[in-house]
Amino acid sequence: MREPLRPPKPRRLNNLMAEAAYADEVRPVGSHSVPDPNIRPPRFSQDSVETADEPVTAEEGFYDDDIDDAGFSADADYLDDTGYVDGAQYPDEDDFADEQVAESTQSEPSKVARMSDRWRERKREARKITLKRIGMLLGTLAVLAGIGWVLFFSPLFIYKYSATDIRGVEADSIIDPVLVEGVVIQRDGQALLLIDKGELAADIIAAVPEVKSADISLSLPSSLSIELTAHEPRACVGEVGTCVAVAADGTELNVPDQMRSSLIRIGGLPENLDREAILSDIFEILDLLGDDIRATVLTVDIANNGMITFTLTEGRTVNWGVADDNEMKAQVLATLLERSAYYYDVSIPLSPVTS
C-alpha cells in the first residue's frame, strides 16, 4: 500500500503557488496516477520555498518533518478517496487572498478601537501633566507672592527711625545732626527693602553740604546704618569777618566762627577766573609747602591775571606767580625762607629774588 502524501496547509501565497506547481507536476487534477519517484516534493516554509534535485522514494514520503515550524498538516478535506492530495480541492490564490482580506477587515474595528483607547489614554495623561504643571506654577507664584508680601508690606520689615541710626557725627563735627535727621526721618514707615540707599545719600548731601559722603546699609529687620563723613574746611574765601569756609572741592561749609577765623583766608576770587580751577591750584600749592610753612600762611590773594601772592606771619610776602612749576617753586621757597627777608619772589624758580 502506498504511503499517502501529507503536505502542509498552505499559509502564504508563495506556498500555494509552489504546491500547485508540485501537484500539476506529479499528476493531473482528478487522476490517481502514481507520483513520479524522481520528483522530490518542495519543502514549505512561511517565507520561502526550497526545492531539491534529489529523488525521493515512496517510503521516504512527505511527513511532518518537512512541514514548516508552525507544525500544520494537511486537512482531510484536501485528500481524495485514495488518501492522495486532490489539487482541485485546494483554494486558489484569489480565494486565499479573499480570506486574508476578510480576516484583515474583520480585525480592523478592533484595531481602531484599541488605537482610539490608546489615544484617549494618552490625551488623559497629557491633560494630567498639563494640570500638574499649572498647579506647580500657581503654587510657585503663591509662594513668591507670600514672600514678597512679607518682605515689602509686612510690618516686620518696615523702617523705624532711631537717632542711633546716624553715626560719624562727633561733638566737634561741623555736621548738624538735626538737619540729617530731618532727611532720614522722611523714610520712617517705608518698607526697608524699598528704600533707595543712593537716593537717600544724595538727599543728605544736598541738604547738609558739610557731609562729604554717606555710607548707608540696611540693618534687618527694620533699621538703617548711616555712616557720615564730614568735609574738611581748607580755607575761608572772602573778606575778613564775612568769608565763607570752603572744602578742597570748593564746597561752601557752615562752620563755627572760631573755626572760620583759624582758616587761611583767600581774598575775593576774580570773576574772570574759574573758581573751581583756581581753588584747586591754591590747595595744591598749600599741600606742597608742607605743614611748617603752611602754618605761617595767613592770606592768599589772586590777581585778575592769575598771579598768586601769599602773606606770611611776621609781615613776609611771597610772590608765587602763576600756578606752574609748583613743585620746584615750593622747594626754592623752603630754601629761601631760611634767610631773613620780607619779600620772596619765586615766580621764576631758577632766578629767585629776596629782599
Side-chain angles (χ1 to χ4, degrees), residues 228-282:
L228 303 178
T229 302
H231 277 293
E232 179 186 358
R234 295 295 306 273
C236 190
V237 179
E239 300 300 326
V240 178
T242 60
C243 66
V244 178
V246 294
D249 60 357
T251 300
E252 296 184 354
L253 308 175
N254 185 18
V255 299
D257 292 340
Q258 183 179 359
M259 180 179 293
R260 185 172 62 249
S261 63
S262 65
L263 298 173
I264 297 174
R265 189 179 62 83
I266 300 175
L269 299 175
E271 295 181 357
N272 64 311
L273 299 179
D274 187 334
R275 172 187 171 89
E276 185 177 348
I278 193 62
L279 286 176
S280 177
D281 291 338
I282 292 173

Short mmCIF file of all heavy atoms in Angstrom, two decimals, residues 228-282:
data_model
loop_
_atom_site.label_atom_id
_atom_site.label_comp_id
_atom_site.label_asym_id
_atom_site.label_seq_id
_atom_site.Cartn_x
_atom_site.Cartn_y
_atom_site.Cartn_z
N LEU A 228 28.38 108.80 58.32
CA LEU A 228 28.65 110.07 57.66
C LEU A 228 30.13 110.44 57.76
O LEU A 228 30.79 110.16 58.76
CB LEU A 228 27.81 111.18 58.29
CG LEU A 228 26.29 110.97 58.27
CD1 LEU A 228 25.60 112.14 58.97
CD2 LEU A 228 25.77 110.83 56.86
N THR A 229 30.62 111.07 56.70
CA THR A 229 31.98 111.62 56.68
C THR A 229 31.88 113.09 56.35
O THR A 229 31.25 113.48 55.35
CB THR A 229 32.85 110.91 55.64
OG1 THR A 229 32.89 109.52 55.93
CG2 THR A 229 34.26 111.46 55.64
N ALA A 230 32.51 113.93 57.19
CA ALA A 230 32.41 115.38 57.02
C ALA A 230 33.52 115.92 56.13
O ALA A 230 34.60 115.34 56.01
CB ALA A 230 32.46 116.07 58.38
N HIS A 231 33.23 117.02 55.45
CA HIS A 231 34.24 117.75 54.70
C HIS A 231 35.26 118.36 55.66
O HIS A 231 34.94 118.68 56.81
CB HIS A 231 33.61 118.88 53.88
CG HIS A 231 33.03 118.42 52.58
ND1 HIS A 231 33.81 117.96 51.54
CD2 HIS A 231 31.75 118.40 52.13
CE1 HIS A 231 33.05 117.65 50.51
NE2 HIS A 231 31.79 117.92 50.84
N GLU A 232 36.45 118.56 55.16
CA GLU A 232 37.48 119.26 55.94
C GLU A 232 37.58 120.68 55.42
O GLU A 232 37.93 120.91 54.26
CB GLU A 232 38.82 118.55 55.79
CG GLU A 232 39.92 119.26 56.55
CD GLU A 232 41.28 118.64 56.30
OE1 GLU A 232 41.33 117.64 55.56
OE2 GLU A 232 42.28 119.18 56.82
N PRO A 233 37.32 121.68 56.24
CA PRO A 233 37.48 123.07 55.79
C PRO A 233 38.96 123.37 55.49
O PRO A 233 39.83 123.07 56.31
CB PRO A 233 36.97 123.89 56.98
CG PRO A 233 36.17 122.93 57.80
CD PRO A 233 36.79 121.59 57.61
N ARG A 234 39.22 123.92 54.31
CA ARG A 234 40.60 124.19 53.93
C ARG A 234 40.93 125.67 53.95
O ARG A 234 42.08 126.07 54.18
CB ARG A 234 40.86 123.65 52.53
CG ARG A 234 40.77 122.14 52.39
CD ARG A 234 41.86 121.45 53.20
NE ARG A 234 43.19 121.93 52.90
CZ ARG A 234 43.95 121.45 51.91
NH1 ARG A 234 43.52 120.46 51.15
NH2 ARG A 234 45.17 121.96 51.72
N ALA A 235 39.97 126.49 53.67
CA ALA A 235 40.23 127.94 53.64
C ALA A 235 38.92 128.69 53.80
O ALA A 235 37.84 128.09 53.79
CB ALA A 235 40.92 128.33 52.34
N CYS A 236 39.07 129.98 53.96
CA CYS A 236 37.89 130.84 54.09
C CYS A 236 37.97 131.87 52.98
O CYS A 236 38.91 132.68 52.92
CB CYS A 236 37.88 131.50 55.47
SG CYS A 236 36.35 132.37 55.86
N VAL A 237 37.01 131.87 52.09
CA VAL A 237 37.04 132.72 50.91
C VAL A 237 36.19 133.97 51.17
O VAL A 237 35.02 133.87 51.53
CB VAL A 237 36.50 131.97 49.67
CG1 VAL A 237 36.52 132.89 48.44
CG2 VAL A 237 37.34 130.73 49.41
N GLY A 238 36.83 135.12 50.94
CA GLY A 238 36.11 136.39 51.10
C GLY A 238 36.87 137.34 52.00
O GLY A 238 38.01 137.11 52.40
N GLU A 239 36.18 138.43 52.35
CA GLU A 239 36.79 139.45 53.20
C GLU A 239 36.73 139.02 54.66
O GLU A 239 35.99 138.11 55.05
CB GLU A 239 36.05 140.77 53.01
CG GLU A 239 36.08 141.30 51.59
CD GLU A 239 37.49 141.54 51.08
OE1 GLU A 239 38.35 141.93 51.91
OE2 GLU A 239 37.74 141.36 49.88
N VAL A 240 37.54 139.69 55.47
CA VAL A 240 37.60 139.38 56.89
C VAL A 240 36.23 139.58 57.53
O VAL A 240 35.57 140.60 57.31
CB VAL A 240 38.66 140.27 57.60
CG1 VAL A 240 38.69 139.98 59.10
CG2 VAL A 240 40.02 140.07 56.98
N GLY A 241 35.80 138.63 58.32
CA GLY A 241 34.51 138.71 59.00
C GLY A 241 33.35 138.21 58.18
O GLY A 241 32.29 137.88 58.73
N THR A 242 33.49 138.13 56.86
CA THR A 242 32.39 137.67 56.00
C THR A 242 32.80 136.50 55.11
O THR A 242 32.02 136.08 54.26
CB THR A 242 31.89 138.82 55.11
OG1 THR A 242 32.96 139.28 54.28
CG2 THR A 242 31.33 139.96 55.96
N CYS A 243 34.00 136.02 55.30
CA CYS A 243 34.47 134.92 54.45
C CYS A 243 33.67 133.65 54.73
O CYS A 243 33.09 133.48 55.81
CB CYS A 243 35.95 134.70 54.64
SG CYS A 243 36.40 134.11 56.28
N VAL A 244 33.67 132.78 53.74
CA VAL A 244 32.92 131.52 53.82
C VAL A 244 33.92 130.37 53.74
O VAL A 244 34.77 130.35 52.83
CB VAL A 244 31.89 131.41 52.69
CG1 VAL A 244 31.16 130.07 52.76
CG2 VAL A 244 30.90 132.57 52.76
N ALA A 245 33.79 129.46 54.67
CA ALA A 245 34.68 128.29 54.67
C ALA A 245 34.38 127.42 53.46
O ALA A 245 33.22 127.23 53.08
CB ALA A 245 34.52 127.50 55.96
N VAL A 246 35.44 126.88 52.87
CA VAL A 246 35.27 126.01 51.70
C VAL A 246 36.10 124.75 51.91
O VAL A 246 37.12 124.74 52.61
CB VAL A 246 35.72 126.71 50.40
CG1 VAL A 246 34.81 127.88 50.09
CG2 VAL A 246 37.17 127.14 50.49
N ALA A 247 35.61 123.70 51.29
CA ALA A 247 36.35 122.43 51.30
C ALA A 247 37.30 122.41 50.11
O ALA A 247 37.35 123.35 49.30
CB ALA A 247 35.37 121.27 51.23
N ALA A 248 38.04 121.32 49.99
CA ALA A 248 39.03 121.22 48.92
C ALA A 248 38.39 121.26 47.55
O ALA A 248 39.01 121.71 46.58
CB ALA A 248 39.84 119.94 49.09
N ASP A 249 37.15 120.79 47.43
CA ASP A 249 36.48 120.81 46.13
C ASP A 249 35.68 122.08 45.90
O ASP A 249 34.94 122.19 44.93
CB ASP A 249 35.57 119.59 45.99
CG ASP A 249 34.49 119.55 47.07
OD1 ASP A 249 34.47 120.43 47.95
OD2 ASP A 249 33.66 118.61 47.02
N GLY A 250 35.82 123.05 46.82
CA GLY A 250 35.13 124.33 46.67
C GLY A 250 33.77 124.37 47.31
O GLY A 250 33.09 125.41 47.23
N THR A 251 33.33 123.30 47.94
CA THR A 251 32.02 123.28 48.60
C THR A 251 32.03 124.25 49.78
O THR A 251 32.92 124.21 50.64
CB THR A 251 31.68 121.88 49.11
OG1 THR A 251 31.66 120.96 48.00
CG2 THR A 251 30.31 121.85 49.78
N GLU A 252 31.04 125.10 49.81
CA GLU A 252 30.93 126.05 50.91
C GLU A 252 30.37 125.35 52.15
O GLU A 252 29.38 124.61 52.05
CB GLU A 252 30.05 127.23 50.51
CG GLU A 252 30.64 128.06 49.38
CD GLU A 252 29.81 129.28 49.07
OE1 GLU A 252 28.71 129.42 49.66
OE2 GLU A 252 30.25 130.11 48.24
N LEU A 253 31.00 125.64 53.28
CA LEU A 253 30.65 124.94 54.52
C LEU A 253 30.20 125.95 55.58
O LEU A 253 30.70 127.08 55.64
CB LEU A 253 31.86 124.16 55.05
CG LEU A 253 32.54 123.21 54.06
CD1 LEU A 253 33.79 122.60 54.68
CD2 LEU A 253 31.58 122.13 53.62
N ASN A 254 29.27 125.49 56.41
CA ASN A 254 28.83 126.29 57.55
C ASN A 254 29.60 125.81 58.77
O ASN A 254 29.37 124.71 59.28
CB ASN A 254 27.33 126.12 57.75
CG ASN A 254 26.79 127.01 58.86
OD1 ASN A 254 27.45 127.98 59.26
ND2 ASN A 254 25.61 126.69 59.35
N VAL A 255 30.55 126.65 59.24
CA VAL A 255 31.41 126.26 60.36
C VAL A 255 31.30 127.30 61.46
O VAL A 255 30.90 128.46 61.21
CB VAL A 255 32.88 126.12 59.90
CG1 VAL A 255 32.99 125.04 58.83
CG2 VAL A 255 33.43 127.44 59.40
N PRO A 256 31.64 126.94 62.67
CA PRO A 256 31.63 127.93 63.76
C PRO A 256 32.61 129.08 63.50
O PRO A 256 33.61 128.91 62.79
CB PRO A 256 32.04 127.10 64.98
CG PRO A 256 31.73 125.69 64.60
CD PRO A 256 31.96 125.60 63.14
N ASP A 257 32.35 130.22 64.10
CA ASP A 257 33.19 131.39 63.89
C ASP A 257 34.63 131.14 64.31
O ASP A 257 35.57 131.61 63.67
CB ASP A 257 32.63 132.59 64.67
CG ASP A 257 31.29 133.05 64.10
OD1 ASP A 257 31.01 132.72 62.92
OD2 ASP A 257 30.52 133.72 64.83
N GLN A 258 34.79 130.45 65.41
CA GLN A 258 36.15 130.18 65.89
C GLN A 258 36.94 129.37 64.87
O GLN A 258 38.11 129.65 64.61
CB GLN A 258 36.07 129.43 67.22
CG GLN A 258 37.44 129.18 67.84
CD GLN A 258 37.33 128.47 69.17
OE1 GLN A 258 36.22 128.18 69.65
NE2 GLN A 258 38.47 128.21 69.81
N MET A 259 36.31 128.40 64.24
CA MET A 259 36.99 127.61 63.23
C MET A 259 37.25 128.43 61.98
O MET A 259 38.31 128.32 61.37
CB MET A 259 36.14 126.37 62.89
CG MET A 259 36.77 125.47 61.83
SD MET A 259 35.74 124.03 61.46
CE MET A 259 35.83 123.12 63.00
N ARG A 260 36.30 129.26 61.60
CA ARG A 260 36.47 130.07 60.40
C ARG A 260 37.64 131.05 60.54
O ARG A 260 38.40 131.27 59.59
CB ARG A 260 35.18 130.81 60.09
CG ARG A 260 35.25 131.59 58.79
CD ARG A 260 33.89 132.17 58.38
NE ARG A 260 33.37 133.12 59.35
CZ ARG A 260 32.31 132.89 60.12
NH1 ARG A 260 31.66 131.73 60.04
NH2 ARG A 260 31.88 133.79 60.99
N SER A 261 37.81 131.62 61.71
CA SER A 261 38.89 132.59 61.92
C SER A 261 40.26 131.93 61.91
O SER A 261 41.27 132.61 61.68
CB SER A 261 38.68 133.34 63.24
OG SER A 261 38.73 132.41 64.33
N SER A 262 40.31 130.63 62.14
CA SER A 262 41.60 129.94 62.15
C SER A 262 42.03 129.45 60.76
O SER A 262 43.13 128.94 60.59
CB SER A 262 41.55 128.74 63.10
OG SER A 262 40.62 127.77 62.62
N LEU A 263 41.16 129.60 59.79
CA LEU A 263 41.47 129.12 58.45
C LEU A 263 42.27 130.15 57.66
O LEU A 263 42.22 131.35 57.93
CB LEU A 263 40.16 128.81 57.70
CG LEU A 263 39.26 127.73 58.30
CD1 LEU A 263 37.93 127.67 57.53
CD2 LEU A 263 39.93 126.37 58.27
N ILE A 264 43.03 129.67 56.67
CA ILE A 264 43.72 130.56 55.73
C ILE A 264 42.66 131.29 54.92
O ILE A 264 41.75 130.67 54.37
CB ILE A 264 44.64 129.76 54.80
CG1 ILE A 264 45.74 129.06 55.60
CG2 ILE A 264 45.24 130.65 53.73
CD1 ILE A 264 46.61 128.14 54.78
N ARG A 265 42.82 132.60 54.84
CA ARG A 265 41.82 133.38 54.14
C ARG A 265 42.27 133.64 52.71
O ARG A 265 43.39 134.07 52.46
CB ARG A 265 41.55 134.70 54.86
CG ARG A 265 40.37 135.47 54.29
CD ARG A 265 40.15 136.77 55.05
NE ARG A 265 41.29 137.66 54.95
CZ ARG A 265 41.51 138.49 53.92
NH1 ARG A 265 40.65 138.53 52.91
NH2 ARG A 265 42.57 139.28 53.92
N ILE A 266 41.37 133.38 51.82
CA ILE A 266 41.62 133.65 50.40
C ILE A 266 40.79 134.86 50.03
O ILE A 266 39.58 134.90 50.24
CB ILE A 266 41.23 132.45 49.52
CG1 ILE A 266 42.03 131.21 49.90
CG2 ILE A 266 41.42 132.77 48.05
CD1 ILE A 266 41.64 129.96 49.16
N GLY A 267 41.50 135.87 49.50
CA GLY A 267 40.78 137.09 49.12
C GLY A 267 39.77 136.79 48.02
O GLY A 267 39.67 135.70 47.47
N GLY A 268 39.03 137.80 47.70
CA GLY A 268 37.99 137.63 46.70
C GLY A 268 38.53 137.07 45.40
O GLY A 268 39.58 137.46 44.90
N LEU A 269 37.84 136.12 44.85
CA LEU A 269 38.26 135.48 43.59
C LEU A 269 37.78 136.30 42.41
O LEU A 269 36.59 136.65 42.34
CB LEU A 269 37.70 134.05 43.51
CG LEU A 269 38.14 133.08 44.61
CD1 LEU A 269 37.41 131.75 44.46
CD2 LEU A 269 39.65 132.88 44.58
N PRO A 270 38.67 136.61 41.47
CA PRO A 270 38.26 137.39 40.29
C PRO A 270 37.19 136.63 39.50
O PRO A 270 37.22 135.41 39.35
CB PRO A 270 39.55 137.53 39.48
CG PRO A 270 40.64 137.35 40.48
CD PRO A 270 40.13 136.36 41.48
N GLU A 271 36.23 137.38 39.01
CA GLU A 271 35.12 136.76 38.28
C GLU A 271 35.55 136.20 36.94
O GLU A 271 34.87 135.33 36.38
CB GLU A 271 34.00 137.79 38.08
CG GLU A 271 33.36 138.25 39.39
CD GLU A 271 32.25 139.24 39.16
OE1 GLU A 271 32.02 139.59 37.96
OE2 GLU A 271 31.60 139.66 40.14
N ASN A 272 36.65 136.72 36.39
CA ASN A 272 37.09 136.24 35.09
C ASN A 272 37.84 134.90 35.16
O ASN A 272 38.19 134.34 34.14
CB ASN A 272 38.00 137.27 34.42
CG ASN A 272 39.28 137.50 35.20
OD1 ASN A 272 39.25 137.71 36.41
ND2 ASN A 272 40.41 137.48 34.50
N LEU A 273 38.07 134.42 36.37
CA LEU A 273 38.78 133.16 36.55
C LEU A 273 37.80 132.06 36.96
O LEU A 273 36.76 132.32 37.58
CB LEU A 273 39.87 133.31 37.61
CG LEU A 273 40.98 134.33 37.33
CD1 LEU A 273 41.98 134.38 38.48
CD2 LEU A 273 41.69 134.01 36.02
N ASP A 274 38.18 130.83 36.63
CA ASP A 274 37.37 129.67 37.00
C ASP A 274 37.56 129.42 38.50
O ASP A 274 38.67 129.09 38.95
CB ASP A 274 37.81 128.45 36.18
CG ASP A 274 36.92 127.25 36.39
OD1 ASP A 274 36.29 127.15 37.47
OD2 ASP A 274 36.85 126.39 35.50
N ARG A 275 36.48 129.59 39.25
CA ARG A 275 36.56 129.46 40.70
C ARG A 275 37.09 128.09 41.11
O ARG A 275 37.99 127.99 41.94
CB ARG A 275 35.18 129.71 41.31
CG ARG A 275 35.08 129.42 42.80
CD ARG A 275 33.64 129.53 43.28
NE ARG A 275 33.50 129.07 44.64
CZ ARG A 275 33.64 129.86 45.71
NH1 ARG A 275 33.94 131.13 45.56
NH2 ARG A 275 33.48 129.37 46.92
N GLU A 276 36.53 127.06 40.53
CA GLU A 276 36.93 125.71 40.92
C GLU A 276 38.38 125.43 40.56
O GLU A 276 39.13 124.85 41.35
CB GLU A 276 36.02 124.68 40.23
CG GLU A 276 36.27 123.25 40.65
CD GLU A 276 35.30 122.28 40.01
OE1 GLU A 276 34.29 122.75 39.43
OE2 GLU A 276 35.54 121.06 40.10
N ALA A 277 38.81 125.89 39.39
CA ALA A 277 40.19 125.65 38.95
C ALA A 277 41.20 126.40 39.81
O ALA A 277 42.23 125.85 40.21
CB ALA A 277 40.35 126.04 37.49
N ILE A 278 40.91 127.69 40.12
CA ILE A 278 41.88 128.47 40.90
C ILE A 278 41.97 127.97 42.34
O ILE A 278 43.05 127.93 42.95
CB ILE A 278 41.52 129.99 40.86
CG1 ILE A 278 42.68 130.83 41.38
CG2 ILE A 278 40.25 130.26 41.63
CD1 ILE A 278 43.95 130.69 40.56
N LEU A 279 40.82 127.54 42.91
CA LEU A 279 40.87 126.97 44.26
C LEU A 279 41.66 125.67 44.27
O LEU A 279 42.42 125.40 45.21
CB LEU A 279 39.45 126.73 44.77
CG LEU A 279 38.65 127.97 45.19
CD1 LEU A 279 37.24 127.58 45.60
CD2 LEU A 279 39.36 128.70 46.33
N SER A 280 41.51 124.85 43.23
CA SER A 280 42.27 123.61 43.14
C SER A 280 43.77 123.90 43.08
O SER A 280 44.57 123.22 43.74
CB SER A 280 41.83 122.83 41.90
OG SER A 280 42.60 121.66 41.75
N ASP A 281 44.17 124.95 42.33
CA ASP A 281 45.59 125.31 42.24
C ASP A 281 46.13 125.78 43.59
O ASP A 281 47.24 125.42 44.01
CB ASP A 281 45.80 126.40 41.19
CG ASP A 281 45.55 125.90 39.77
OD1 ASP A 281 45.64 124.67 39.56
OD2 ASP A 281 45.27 126.74 38.88
N ILE A 282 45.35 126.57 44.28
CA ILE A 282 45.79 127.10 45.58
C ILE A 282 45.99 125.98 46.58
O ILE A 282 47.00 125.93 47.30
CB ILE A 282 44.79 128.15 46.10
CG1 ILE A 282 44.82 129.39 45.21
CG2 ILE A 282 45.08 128.50 47.55
CD1 ILE A 282 43.75 130.41 45.55
#
